[in-house]
Amino acid sequence: MRKGVVLLCSVLEVRRTALYDPLAAGVCDSSPRTHGSMTEYGSEKMAEEERNGSAEKLKEKANNYFKDKDYENAIKYYTEALELNPSNAIYYSNRSLAYLRTECYGYALGDATRALELDKNYIKGYYRRATSNMALGKFKAALKDYETVVRVRPNDKDAKMKYQECNKIVKQKAFERAIASDELKRSVVDSLDIENMTIEDDYAGPKLEDGNVTLKFMKDLMAWFKDQNKLHRKCAYQMLVQVKEVLSKLPCLVEISLKETEEITICGDTHGQYYDLLNIFELNGLPSITNPYLFNGDFVDRGSFSVEVILTLFGFKLLYPEHFHLLRGNHETDNMNQMYGFEGEVKAKYTAQMFQLFSEVFQWLPLTQCINNKVLVMHGGLFSEDGVTLDDIRKIDRNRQPPDSGPMCDLLWSDPQPQDGRSISKRGVSCQFGPDVTERFLEQNKLQYIVRSHEVKAEGYEVTHSGKCITVFSAPNYCDQMGNKGAYIHLRGSDLKPEFHQFTAVPHPDVKPMAYANSLMQMGMM
């Protein structure tokens, strides 16, 4: 097992294809594989056979945990099997699949690559590696592996569909790069004629009052969404244009002060789980001037009510701009939205043009928030290098898609680890940082602790690095199958001591997570 790795990241359970193919459906390989000459019967050979037999038992134990969706223990026993037999491609491929299910895409890619180094003809290895590269946005690399699978298995319909879909994405990306180099991209706002959009007589839903969000509008909107109705496109466009203006005036690092008696609620990822968002407001009260909130990124994707979540959050931002705060997550980005559902959902419920406007708005979301000059909040975590200051954060040009490295990338993507130092990210993006990194950053910037989100936690929150790194996650029973609690944090100005509140998932309409995701994510690719 990789030392110090937090094995259980956020779990993604994708819908399986109706055409059952063990390659497509993400089935762990159960076939034994022996090594060495069967004519050698010396003590060394007997010891090797004993080790291999023990490794096979560990693999089967891991496979059973995998079937039960206990990916943490599956990874544990695949790792033990590999310690006994490190030259078995199947073990690496199976562990790669378990890592995929826990979003540890960097580790999954490494294991799939190792499996293919051991056996270049192992087709499942190409599937796993292609899946890992797709999840990391490395579409050309994924396409190359899908080509290999199709060449070897020309009658595999699932492989052919994956190849075609991946090829389509590669061509689309090339086209986008070509048109981006023409001239400065115009805002969608410039091409909208909102004033002349007509609200039909049969529309019975909420409307802005003189073009403005009011508390009555927000209450009506939440009830309207709860009944699975759609806000009129004119109202949605009005809200997006207004919230873009509000967000664009904010700094990259938002600083707020709480008086001794004042309190703020910090929520983590909500990931399109609209009915759980309503439950937070039920438990903790609606946002108001006296009940401020901070939502720490990843509002969309995965859950299939992301439009409802984000329009509700944007509505409260417009209603209480000084007391309702939103920070950007790694899923408020085009690549993630294309793969994990938000782009597809907006196009299904509205138009491609509206998704482009959402994309513009997301780019203006602040990256960090500092409370009373003592607590720093960001979605992901700290940095790949020491020496980053709050001034450095203030200077980040955030109005763009995140780069693959650097401070902006780290703030959205990095994760804590229990051991000192830094290590390669299990996600394949940014890094993992230890308690010594946290300590140095806090000391240099005269801060007490950081609050971040980005990872599912069984209890909804986790306190690490001697209390100086807190994770909060607010999507209970993540993707309808993790069984985790959700949580939010109360911080009072008097002492800034975090007070944790847990809650469980509530029922929602029968629309599965990932219902609007890219078809590659729905064809059993993982």
Side-chain angles (χ1 to χ4, degrees), residues 92 218 377:
Y92 280 107
M218 288 306 302
V377 185

Side-chain angles (χ1 to χ4, degrees), residues 242-274:
Q242 291 176 30
V243 83
K244 180 184 177 185
E245 184 177 357
V246 170
L247 294 175
S248 66
K249 293 177 180 177
L250 294 176
C252 192
L253 167 57
V254 175
E255 298 174 80
I256 64 168
S257 295
L258 294 178
K259 295 177 182 177
E260 285 203 359
T261 57
E262 291 178 332
E263 187 176 80
I264 190 169
T265 301
I266 303 176
C267 298
D269 304 38
T270 46
H271 273 304
Q273 297 185 197
Y274 180 67

Side-chain angles (χ1 to χ4, degrees), residues 127 146 149-150 153 156-164:
Y127 264 98
Y146 284 136
V149 176
V150 170
R153 294 176 57 120
D156 186 329
K157 294 181 180 179
D158 182 78
K160 195 173 294 184
M161 284 190 292
K162 289 182 173 69
Y163 168 76
Q164 291 170 348

Side-chain angles (χ1 to χ4, degrees), residues 367-368 376 378 380-390 392-394 396 405-412 414-415 421-423 430-434 437-438 440-442 444-445 447 450:
L367 300 179
T368 55
L376 190 68
M378 76 289 288
L382 296 181
F383 306 96
S384 301
E385 297 180 352
D386 284 343
V388 178
T389 66
L390 297 186
D392 293 327
I393 296 173
R394 292 184 184 101
I396 293 174
S405 61
M408 182 177 178
C409 174
D410 295 333
L411 286 168
L412 297 175
S414 70
D415 295 293
R422 293 179 175 87
S423 63
S430 185
C431 70
Q432 294 174 184
F433 59 95
V437 175
T438 301
R440 288 194 298 271
F441 175 80
L442 295 175
Q444 180 177 7
N445 290 284
L447 298 167
I450 64 170

Side-chain angles (χ1 to χ4, degrees), residues 296-432:
N296 194 24
D298 279 13
F299 320 120
V300 301
D301 282 341
R302 316 275 186 183
S304 296
F305 303 95
S306 293
V307 165
E308 291 78 6
V309 167
I310 193 61
L311 287 177
T312 299
L313 295 179
F314 280 170
F316 278 118
K317 181 62 182 175
L318 291 171
L319 186 59
Y320 304 115
E322 304 296 325
H323 300 87
F324 192 85
H325 308 281
L326 302 171
L327 297 181
R328 192 176 186 178
N330 63 301
H331 276 268
E332 279 69 58
T333 56
D334 286 356
N335 272 354
M336 294 293 104
N337 296 162
Q338 182 179 34
M339 297 303 298
Y340 295 102
F342 185 59
E343 180 178 346
E345 183 179 343
V346 176
K347 288 179 176 178
K349 294 177 179 178
Y350 292 101
T351 62
Q353 183 188 51
M354 186 175 287
F355 173 73
Q356 292 171 1
L357 184 52
F358 269 113
S359 175
E360 287 185 29
V361 176
F362 287 166
Q363 293 188 168
W364 283 112
L365 285 163
L367 300 179
T368 55
Q369 187 146 339
C370 193
I371 303 171
N372 286 17
N373 299 313
K374 294 297 180 184
V375 179
L376 190 68
V377 185
M378 76 289 288
H379 178 73
L382 296 181
F383 306 96
S384 301
E385 297 180 352
D386 284 343
V388 178
T389 66
L390 297 186
D391 273 343
D392 293 327
I393 296 173
R394 292 184 184 101
K395 295 172 185 175
I396 293 174
D397 174 18
R398 74 183 190 274
N399 182 26
R400 56 176 171 160
Q401 294 303 308
D404 293 333
S405 61
M408 182 177 178
C409 174
D410 295 333
L411 286 168
L412 297 175
W413 278 97
S414 70
D415 295 293
Q417 64 181 20
Q419 75 273 24
D420 281 348
R422 293 179 175 87
S423 63
I424 296 171
S425 172
K426 59 198 171 196
R427 300 175 190 267
V429 184
S430 185
C431 70
Q432 294 174 184

Side-chain angles (χ1 to χ4, degrees), residues 142-214:
L143 184 62
K144 186 176 180 182
D145 281 338
Y146 284 136
E147 285 174 344
T148 300
V149 176
V150 170
R151 187 167 62 248
V152 174
R153 294 176 57 120
N155 296 321
D156 186 329
K157 294 181 180 179
D158 182 78
K160 195 173 294 184
M161 284 190 292
K162 289 182 173 69
Y163 168 76
Q164 291 170 348
E165 181 63 25
C166 187
N167 192 34
K168 186 169 75 175
I169 293 173
V170 168
K171 289 179 177 177
Q172 179 186 336
K173 293 290 181 184
F175 175 73
E176 289 171 355
R177 284 193 299 272
I179 62 173
S181 62
D182 289 348
E183 54 181 277
L184 196 61
K185 190 177 177 183
R186 292 178 64 213
S187 169
V188 172
V189 178
D190 297 333
S191 60
L192 290 175
D193 185 8
I194 298 176
E195 289 303 315
N196 289 320
M197 289 182 185
T198 303
I199 298 181
E200 296 76 13
D201 292 338
D202 60 353
Y203 174 73
K207 303 173 187 175
L208 298 180
E209 297 180 25
D210 296 324
N212 297 313
V213 169
T214 63

Side-chain angles (χ1 to χ4, degrees), residues 15-44:
R15 294 155 50 194
R16 301 188 176 196
T17 177
L19 175 64
Y20 187 85
D21 182 313
L23 289 176
V27 174
C28 292
D29 203 330
S30 299
S31 56
R33 179 168 296 200
T34 57
H35 297 271
S37 170
M38 296 301 292
T39 61
E40 296 177 23
Y41 294 102
S43 60
E44 185 177 328

